[in-house]
Amino acid sequence: WELVRYCNALNTSVVGGASRLFKHFVADHCPARVRSFSDRAHTKGGLYQTLGFTEVTRNLESYVWVNLENNKAYSRVSTQKHNLKSFFKDDSIDLSQTERQIMESHGYVQVYDSGTITWEWRSRQLN
């Protein structure tokens, strides 16, 4: 299982809300493990520690390519050099150029993040 996101309404906090939601999920689904990822630019992951998750790895920064015309972001995987002919639907792309050269020539800018932390919760039955 993966915990994709936890969020509150703006300017709203429910004390113990995340713990109650997670306990309910565990009771209903009996997962052996749950993984999640936190953005290092926004949190140290205190909520995960409160929920009983342990830190698995600290992942280095990554990037997306952003189309300057519409501000849409595309993952680095979908825009890897070997995918660019199909990404742009253009067989004439010169693959002797770098990924950066090709993307920038098509109006994209590379935007980096601060990396993530991978967290994992394990059922007590596995420990």
Side-chain angles (χ1 to χ4, degrees):
W1 292 90
E2 180 181 356
L3 174 59
V4 176
R5 181 170 314 254
Y6 174 78
C7 61
N8 294 321
L10 186 61
N11 299 319
T12 304
S13 179
V14 177
V15 176
S19 293
R20 287 191 296 251
L21 287 169
F22 190 66
K23 285 177 186 176
H24 182 74
F25 167 79
V26 169
D28 278 3
H29 298 285
C30 302
R33 294 185 314 190
V34 179
R35 281 222 166 175
S36 194
F37 304 88
S38 61
D39 184 337
R40 292 174 62 187
H42 300 287
T43 181
K44 293 179 183 177
L47 177 63
Y48 291 103
Q49 293 169 332
T50 298
L51 296 177
F53 283 70
T54 56
E55 183 177 322
V56 177
T57 58
R58 288 185 175 249
N59 307 299
L60 297 175
E61 67 278 346
S62 188
Y63 62 88
V64 295
W65 285 101
V66 177
N67 182 321
L68 291 174
E69 287 184 20
N70 62 17
N71 288 326
K72 188 169 180 185
Y74 297 89
S75 74
R76 64 177 185 78
V77 174
S78 66
T79 56
Q80 288 174 332
K81 187 173 170 177
H82 66 273
N83 294 328
L84 292 180
K85 286 186 178 188
S86 61
F87 181 80
F88 289 116
K89 296 173 182 56
D90 181 357
D91 287 334
S92 68
I93 289 177
D94 178 6
L95 292 181
S96 69
Q97 294 182 323
T98 65
E99 173 188 319
R100 177 182 297 276
Q101 290 171 320
I102 296 168
M103 293 302 291
E104 288 178 350
S105 72
H106 283 81
Y108 288 74
V109 64
Q110 196 172 34
V111 178
Y112 283 86
D113 63 22
S114 298
T116 59
I117 301 173
T118 303
W119 298 92
E120 184 173 81
W121 175 92
R122 289 176 162 258
S123 168
R124 290 188 185 140
Q125 297 169 350
L126 293 178
N127 295 333

